[in-house]
Amino acid sequence: MPRRRQPADPRRETERWFLANGLSYFVPGERAAARAALRPRHLLPLAALVLLATAALGGTLGWVSQQVSAAPAVWLTLVILAALWYASTALHARPILTFALRRTVRSAPLLVGTAMRALPLLLLFVAFLFINAEAWEMSASLPFATHWLVVLLLLGIGVVFQLVRLPEEVDKADDAVDAAFLERACRGTPMEATQAALAADPRVDVPAYARVTGFERWNLIIALLLIQLVQVVALICAVFVFLLVFGSIIMQQETQLAWTGLERTHHVPYLGSVSAELVKVSLFLASFSGLYFIVSAVTDDTYRHQFFSVVTQELERAVGVRAVYRALRAQEEGVA
């Protein structure tokens, strides 16, 4: 006689669903581990060690290269990499990054359409600066470390812009939770049957569990932030490659020497038509293009509507499934 298959535990299945959809901090165990990793007795010693190690390495490289800007550039880069490593390991944020990358790939048509609207004016602005002696002279006079600092600075400004706006969008997701919202959000998820059962129980008020706060709220904000940052980096790379190709075609060596004030240009190995000066000015202008794209994303109503129309359904699903999940936990723990 075949063995009867045991019914799946909806809580465990939902927790797997949370992890697969970049909602690490919706899982109590993951949230508790992240909270423990942020306690001062765990975080401060490691942070002090990382800061000292990166400062020593950055200072050494700055002294060896004889470039003052190399020290802060290396230090800031290593601090960012260490923070990403700590977030993906101790803070259990790797599923958030993985989901953001997958979501960005799926939303590639949206990115292309948005770029096509932003690029005409953007390229006009960039071309005006690119065919400009002052831009070439300034870029050529700065070391690569300074250019990298500019890139990090502009990306940091973009992150600040996004952190001001994204919490408002996340808060909208849990403002109008009702029975219809929960039914729509849980359809096709591990909580679909549980939602129907709880909706039929007059003693359970599931919408009361819908408010998203703390780690879970930041989970949604970080996921949206990462999705848009990946889009911005992709646009920066596209503009950078375009300027390299465009510059290698129209910028003759005599023009580069005249505009930079140098005696000779320094060519990139294996790319005879691409000079180091062309790389510098392209990187400088591409980083400004990224900031321009971020500002457009904040102020352009068309982009905001298109982007958030795509992610609103996922935000609603996250909020709805979480509300039913919390109601189920409260019911089971109350019975226990």
Side-chain angles (χ1 to χ4, degrees):
M1 182 176 181
R3 297 177 60 183
R4 179 178 299 178
R5 184 178 179 182
Q6 294 296 325
D9 184 350
R11 284 176 56 177
R12 288 183 178 274
E13 293 296 324
T14 302
E15 289 173 0
R16 295 192 186 98
W17 185 88
F18 284 151
L19 293 175
N21 287 271
L23 302 171
S24 304
Y25 299 152
F26 282 34
V27 180
E30 303 288 306
R31 187 167 62 247
R35 185 177 287 111
L38 287 177
R39 290 173 181 167
R41 61 190 180 90
H42 291 151
L43 183 61
L44 291 182
L46 181 60
L49 179 61
V50 169
L51 291 176
L52 289 175
T54 54
L57 181 58
T60 301
L61 292 178
W63 177 73
V64 171
S65 63
Q66 299 297 314
Q67 295 181 7
V68 177
S69 58
V74 172
W75 178 82
L76 187 57
T77 302
L78 292 177
V79 168
I80 293 174
L81 292 176
L84 290 175
W85 170 80
Y86 193 73
S88 63
T89 54
L91 296 182
H92 296 246
R94 184 177 300 173
I96 304 175
L97 177 59
T98 303
F99 170 77
L101 292 174
R102 289 202 315 266
R103 190 65 191 79
T104 303
V105 172
R106 292 202 301 269
S107 63
L110 171 64
L111 175 60
V112 173
T114 304
M116 289 301 101
R117 288 195 303 273
L119 277 178
L121 184 60
L122 175 60
L123 291 180
L124 180 63
F125 166 74
V126 169
F128 175 77
L129 293 177
F130 186 73
I131 310 175
N132 187 291
E134 285 76 11
W136 282 78
E137 183 179 7
M138 180 195 64
S139 297
S141 64
L142 298 176
F144 275 109
T146 302
H147 284 279
W148 182 241
L149 276 178
V150 170
V151 173
L152 295 179
L153 173 63
L154 295 178
L155 284 177
I157 295 174
V159 169
V160 172
F161 281 151
Q162 296 292 348
L163 288 179
V164 170
R165 180 175 63 90
L166 290 178
E168 301 174 0
E169 303 293 342
V170 171
D171 291 339
K172 293 178 183 177
D174 59 7
D175 286 343
V177 177
D178 54 17
F181 179 101
L182 294 171
E183 181 181 359
R184 181 176 66 252
C186 294
R187 188 176 297 122
T189 71
M191 280 284 121
E192 183 175 5
T194 302
Q195 184 275 327
L198 293 179
D201 189 346
R203 298 170 300 174
V204 182
D205 182 16
V206 179
Y209 296 91
R211 189 67 179 172
V212 182
T213 59
F215 273 74
E216 295 158 293
R217 181 171 179 267
W218 277 105
N219 193 150
L220 296 175
I221 294 172
I222 292 171
L224 293 178
L225 176 64
L226 289 175
I227 291 173
Q228 292 199 327
L229 281 182
V230 172
Q231 294 180 355
V232 170
V233 172
L235 181 73
I236 290 175
C237 293
V239 173
F240 177 70
V241 172
F242 167 79
L243 292 177
L244 285 182
V245 175
F246 183 60
S248 65
I249 295 174
I250 70 167
M251 298 304 298
Q252 301 298 318
Q253 184 175 9
E254 294 77 11
T255 305
Q256 295 186 34
L257 292 176
W259 284 7
T260 59
L262 301 175
E263 297 182 356
R264 65 184 182 89
T265 58
H266 306 82
H267 288 278
V268 177
Y270 307 108
L271 295 174
S273 60
V274 177
S275 65
E277 290 71 27
L278 173 60
V279 173
K280 287 181 178 181
V281 72
S282 299
L283 180 62
F284 181 75
L285 295 178
S287 60
F288 267 105
S289 301
L291 181 61
Y292 174 88
F293 182 77
I294 293 175
V295 173
S296 297
V298 172
T299 58
D300 185 1
D301 291 335
T302 302
Y303 172 81
R304 294 180 64 186
H305 173 73
Q306 288 192 353
F307 176 79
F308 284 105
S309 65
V310 174
V311 300
T312 294
Q313 183 179 2
E314 295 185 4
L315 284 175
E316 289 183 353
R317 289 175 65 197
V319 172
V321 172
R322 171 186 174 274
V324 177
Y325 172 81
R326 292 187 63 211
L328 177 62
R329 284 193 64 199
Q331 185 184 57
E332 291 180 348
E333 293 171 0
V335 171

